[in-house]
Amino acid sequence: MVVLATEFCGLHLRNPLMNASGVLGFAPEHVDIMASWGIAAIVTKTMTLEPREGYPPPIVVELRNGGLLNAVGLANPGVDSIKELCERARALGLPLIVSVGGRTAREFAETAARAEDLGANALELNLSCPHAKGYGAEIGRNPRLVSEVCKAVCSTVKIPVVAKLGISDKMLESAGRALEAGCRGLTLINTVPAMAIDVYSAKPVLSNVSGGLSGPPIHPIAVKAVYDTYAEYGAEIAGCGGVAAWIDAAELILAGARVVQIGTALARGRGRDVVSRIIEGLASWLETLGFRSLDEVIGLAHRR
Amino acid sequence: MISARVAEVRRVSSTLWRIDLELLEGVDEPKPFTFAMLWIPRVDEIPLSIAKFSRGLVSFIFRVRGEGTKRLASLRRGDFVALKMPLGKGYAPKPRERILAVAGGVGIAPIPRLLDFCKDTGCDVTIVWGVRTRSEYCDPSLLGLDSDRVEVASDDGSIGFRGTAIDLALEVLRNQRFDTAIAIGPKPMLRAFCEKVRAFAISRALVSVETTVKCGLGICGSCYIKQLPKLLCVDGPVFDCHEVEHFLEIPGA
């Protein structure tokens, strides 16, 4: 029997799969739904200090190329709402990683401290959302700001902190600054800036006009981001981007990911099927290769 | 999203509108009670029950409630919109199933599709439709509801039975046997339905509920059902009465 259990930034996980932030994750009912999918840890929606309404619909659209486009606008009930989520996750025996958003280092640190007090097991800093002004990618593509935010958070909380970065020409540098500042790991990547136009009305589809692309089209981009970052820093990485089947997860793991996050593939109630197939697929893949545990293949594609 | 062109918009009663759309791409045949997210370019995207579906045409019955439905009512023939559909599990009765469908006001919206489905598959539907007053009523054929079995109730007795849809449904239940009773309408009506229908020997009591739906794709989480590990846009909008007990207690329409 192969071992899929692993550890990520100090969290013990029964398998290497978690959801990507943004898929459900702000109500206790969501925790129940996600637990039923079989993932090993739950990542909440990005929480901010104060509640955010987000953008009006359309906020998510499916594309003809299998991708998904979204601009939700960091809608969330505010960080205080995670108390109930933590309680529910704890009752189910699942670690809860709180995704934290903010505009300034101070806001990040305050939100992070609150999340820790309310019972978060780890934090994922959203330094990469491509569609909310003043948040996310605006910070993530500026290594100096990444450093500031990560230092502020890591010097405030004791729980593990992971920086989630998106694709940009500063990604590697930002990743290095985040690790230097005390982040235990990285989540790579977020959605990629994108938009869709309806050809009959000749109008942009998302209410926010542009948003972030996820799903199968971005998977190879994620593989390279993980590969390059692992080569540079050998860091603990949560690989994220277009994972729909075990083979997609396997590729990210070979590139250097310790764990894998799934987002788009969980849409339309497919979570349970998708997760169980990926787990079965990874186990039989390891058997085929003659390995006993997942840890043995992390970053294997780098071996010369 | 599936592009569509407006074929016709008409007001059919003091409160109800019907819009017919010509689909420009193929879609899966919608089960009864499934819904669509209808996008009005640069205005809004709104969840609507699928009322009729045939050969590249889809129809919706709606009430003007906010900015989105106001703009929907003012669309003209030839305007373009787009749809995510069909969404949700809906409810597909089995062949020979005897169903009592109880609709309050604009809750009549998915009933034509239910009737069409049953005509094709052999289930049997009796319809009870409650309105507040005569002006809210229209000839069922205007809704594409081709049945002589629509029993009508009005709160003020200005048309049909005097009383609520539930009052009339209970009368019908006393005289006829059904396998399934399904209600759709405002929350207080659904609460009353679930409570009162218990006295009758029917195997399933179902309600089609409404909540905020933002993405329709099971991602944003807006449409979760209180104390139930389910989402309306994935698993609903039809639920067993006992599943939505807590949800129906939350105040609001």
Side-chain angles (χ1 to χ4, degrees):
Chain A
M1 224 10 231
V2 296
V3 180
L4 288 183
T6 187
E7 222 175 274
F8 179 66
C9 298
L11 300 176
H12 297 279
L13 305 174
R14 59 177 88 133
N15 66 56
L17 306 182
M18 41 180 95
N19 66 295
S21 179
V23 178
L24 308 185
F26 69 80
E29 286 81 356
H30 296 165
V31 175
D32 290 336
I33 294 173
M34 292 194 278
S36 77
W37 293 342
I39 49 182
I42 287 172
V43 186
T44 68
K45 253 193 220 293
T46 294
M47 297 289 170
T48 48
L49 212 44
E50 301 297 329
R52 277 176 61 93
E53 185 66 33
Y55 302 131
I59 53 171
V60 187
V61 286
E62 290 169 321
L63 305 176
R64 276 162 293 109
N65 67 0
L68 194 78
L69 182 66
N70 90 80
V72 173
L74 299 182
N76 79 90
V79 69
D80 287 345
S81 67
I82 70 152
K83 185 163 183 278
E84 271 186 297
L85 308 185
C86 293
E87 285 163 4
R88 190 65 61 94
R90 194 175 310 124
L92 294 163
L94 285 178
L96 189 89
I97 301 170
V98 175
S99 171
V100 171
R103 284 163 297 195
T104 61
R106 193 185 190 151
E107 218 174 279
F108 264 100
E110 231 176 292
T111 313
R114 195 85 193 113
E116 181 178 46
D117 284 348
L118 294 171
N121 299 105
L123 303 176
E124 184 183 82
L125 307 182
N126 181 344
L127 302 171
S128 41
C129 167
H131 54 69
K133 202 171 163 24
Y135 290 86
E138 289 187 21
I139 298 166
R141 60 173 168 252
N142 182 334
R144 189 181 51 81
L145 293 179
V146 168
S147 183
E148 241 177 63
V149 167
C150 295
K151 273 182 190 155
V153 173
C154 295
S155 62
T156 306
V157 301
K158 291 190 187 70
I159 51 177
V161 179
V162 177
K164 181 169 178 178
L165 294 167
I167 199 80
S168 82
D169 55 357
K170 294 282 197 263
M171 185 193 72
L172 263 188
E173 202 183 331
S174 288
R177 294 291 192 94
L179 294 168
E180 252 170 48
C183 289
R184 293 275 296 271
L186 305 164
T187 297
L188 303 170
I189 57 175
N190 206 313
T191 56
V192 176
M195 77 179 284
I197 297 170
D198 175 55
V199 299
Y200 292 102
S201 62
K203 299 274 195 281
V205 177
L206 293 173
S207 70
N208 187 54
V209 180
S210 70
L213 175 67
S214 62
I218 72 164
H219 178 258
I221 302 175
V223 173
K224 176 167 163 56
V226 170
Y227 186 89
D228 290 351
T229 311
Y230 188 81
E232 191 74 21
Y233 306 110
E236 292 199 25
I237 298 171
C240 180
V243 173
W246 70 265
I247 200 159
D248 307 321
E251 254 188 285
L252 285 171
I253 293 164
L254 292 172
R258 264 195 102 69
V259 292
V260 171
Q261 296 186 347
I262 314 167
T264 303
L266 303 172
R268 290 183 176 266
R270 296 192 192 112
R272 195 186 306 229
D273 273 2
V274 166
V275 171
S276 67
R277 281 198 203 134
I278 293 177
I279 289 174
E280 284 163 29
L282 287 176
S284 74
W285 168 61
L286 289 176
E287 264 174 48
T288 305
L289 293 183
F291 290 109
R292 283 205 210 94
S293 79
L294 206 58
D295 290 355
E296 297 170 68
V297 293
I298 295 166
L300 197 64
H302 294 269
R303 200 179 289 169
R304 288 174 204 278
Chain B
M1 293 212 283
I2 295 122
S3 296
R5 183 160 46 197
V6 176
E8 190 179 4
V9 190
R10 67 191 283 209
R11 188 173 197 159
V12 291
S13 82
S14 65
T15 46
L16 299 182
W17 293 75
R18 171 175 169 170
I19 185 166
D20 297 337
L21 304 174
E22 178 197 337
L23 296 165
L24 302 179
E25 293 158 68
V27 297
D28 293 343
E29 181 159 322
K31 287 189 186 130
F33 292 95
T34 55
F35 68 102
M37 291 298 283
L38 191 159
W39 178 56
I40 309 163
R42 302 321 291 165
V43 175
D44 202 355
E45 186 186 34
I46 39 185
L48 292 171
S49 292
I50 295 167
K52 289 289 272 190
F53 179 82
S54 66
R55 293 165 282 113
L57 270 179
V58 62
S59 308
F60 300 97
I61 294 161
F62 63 99
R63 213 189 140 111
V64 173
R65 276 202 263 219
E67 189 54 30
T69 44
K70 195 172 146 193
R71 294 289 287 273
L72 189 60
S74 65
L75 290 179
R76 302 270 172 82
R77 182 181 173 82
D79 284 345
F80 291 104
V81 295
L83 301 157
K84 291 172 184 160
M85 73 167 276
L87 302 176
K89 274 207 180 73
Y91 181 65
K94 293 181 199 70
R96 289 190 298 283
E97 190 169 332
R98 295 163 302 176
I99 305 133
L100 173 64
V102 188
V106 70
I108 198 70
I111 307 301
R113 177 78 199 114
L114 172 67
L115 191 73
D116 292 346
F117 179 87
C118 281
K119 277 184 180 158
D120 291 345
T121 62
C123 35
D124 183 88
V125 198
T126 297
I127 299 154
V128 167
W129 184 23
V131 292
R132 273 176 302 199
T133 185
R134 187 181 192 104
S135 71
E136 296 184 0
Y137 173 80
C138 70
D139 190 283
S141 65
L142 293 177
L143 305 173
L145 201 51
D146 306 310
S147 173
D148 49 3
R149 287 161 66 194
V150 183
E151 312 250 7
V152 179
S154 57
D155 293 354
D156 62 3
S158 53
I159 184 160
F161 176 93
R162 178 191 289 268
T164 65
I166 301 299
D167 297 335
L168 178 54
L170 297 176
E171 283 293 315
V172 173
L173 279 164
R174 277 179 207 116
N175 298 310
Q176 241 179 292
R177 292 187 68 89
F178 295 93
D179 303 303
T180 305
I182 183 165
I184 172 164
K187 263 187 184 174
M189 171 190 150
L190 300 186
R191 271 200 302 269
F193 170 81
C194 289
E195 197 183 299
K196 291 184 176 154
V197 83
R198 278 191 218 136
F200 297 91
I202 43 172
S203 36
R204 300 192 76 182
L206 307 172
V207 287
S208 181
V209 303
E210 227 177 274
T211 181
T212 306
V213 178
K214 280 194 179 168
C215 80
L217 302 172
I219 292 175
C220 78
S222 312
C223 66
Y224 73 93
I225 303 292
K226 187 93 183 145
Q227 295 197 22
L228 194 68
K230 290 186 177 184
L231 299 174
L232 182 141
C233 78
V234 170
D235 309 292
V238 176
F239 296 96
D240 271 303
C241 272
H242 64 83
E243 291 183 299
V244 289
E245 213 174 300
H246 297 284
F247 172 81
L248 292 178
E249 277 167 16
I250 309 165

